Amino acid sequence: MDDMNQMAGLHEKFREIFQASNPPIEKNLKIKKGLLKKSIFLAHRFDKLGQETANVLTKFLYRLGFNILEGSGYESTDIPDKVIEKVQTQDIFICLITTGDNHWILSETAYAKALNKYIILIKQDDVDFNSGIIGSDFEYLIFPVGIIEKIFTDLIYALPS
């Protein structure tokens, strides 16, 4: 414990000598939809329902001219590193929430939020999803099981043109 107290004391002394401080955290950085590239990272479950739903959504987004990346497919790298790299390169992050364990999707969404990505949450109507660290103030586009097409009109309005 003494080492920790000494470290904290040294830290404070350096801050005082160099007049150092943390940069201010800019809150409410507004994302301008018109400046976003038509690039999307689509986070979804890889079970049968999640994959089928994502396939329909991906086909629709491609027809609108979007470039879509996701975490599936083999690459000779760690999965978290692969996902991190892909999320970083895309301007838009879509979180597709279907039945099952969505904890890792929540983690990916929190990472996208930390990067100030434009986030769209799409949720199956029968799923209870705890938004946890991404914040409870996000709105969802909600669709009935097996009919993701129901949100397509609202999604067009949510996406940059």
Side-chain angles (χ1 to χ4, degrees):
M1 191 62 148
D2 285 337
D3 288 341
M4 292 301 291
N5 290 335
Q6 288 176 345
M7 291 294 289
L10 284 172
H11 179 75
E12 284 304 314
K13 193 63 171 171
F14 282 129
R15 285 176 54 127
E16 180 183 316
I17 291 170
F18 294 107
Q19 297 177 348
S21 65
N22 292 330
I25 296 173
E26 294 186 44
K27 297 205 181 222
N28 300 325
L29 290 175
K30 294 290 181 191
I31 299 169
K32 296 185 175 146
K33 282 177 30 174
L35 300 177
L36 296 173
K37 295 181 298 191
K38 292 185 102 174
S39 62
I40 294 172
F41 181 86
L42 176 59
H44 64 88
R45 292 181 44 76
F46 294 115
D47 60 359
K48 185 178 181 198
L49 177 62
Q51 192 63 56
E52 287 173 355
T53 307
N55 289 344
V56 172
L57 180 58
T58 297
K59 191 179 292 185
F60 174 72
L61 293 168
Y62 275 132
R63 288 185 180 148
L64 294 176
F66 285 89
N67 171 37
I68 297 100
L69 297 180
E70 57 181 53
S72 67
Y74 175 79
E75 293 180 27
S76 62
T77 183
D78 291 336
I79 293 171
D81 293 338
K82 173 176 72 168
V83 169
I84 285 169
E85 182 179 321
K86 289 180 178 184
V87 170
Q88 289 172 343
T89 64
Q90 305 301 87
D91 281 1
I92 303 164
F93 183 93
I94 294 181
C95 176
L96 177 61
I97 304 158
T98 54
T99 305
D101 183 5
N102 288 290
H103 286 93
W104 59 271
I105 293 174
L106 175 65
S107 297
E108 291 175 3
T109 307
Y111 180 68
K113 182 180 180 184
L115 294 176
N116 200 37
K117 298 294 179 177
Y118 185 79
I119 297 173
I120 299 172
L121 300 177
I122 302 173
K123 186 175 88 65
Q124 189 175 292
D125 64 357
D126 65 343
V127 175
D128 184 29
F129 183 73
N130 180 357
S131 58
I133 61 174
I134 63 169
S136 59
D137 57 345
F138 275 97
E139 292 185 28
Y140 297 92
L141 297 177
I142 299 174
F143 67 97
V145 178
I147 313 173
I148 189 136
E149 297 87 350
K150 290 277 189 178
I151 58 99
F152 284 0
T153 301
D154 290 333
L155 183 57
I156 288 172
Y157 287 107
L159 289 165
S161 51

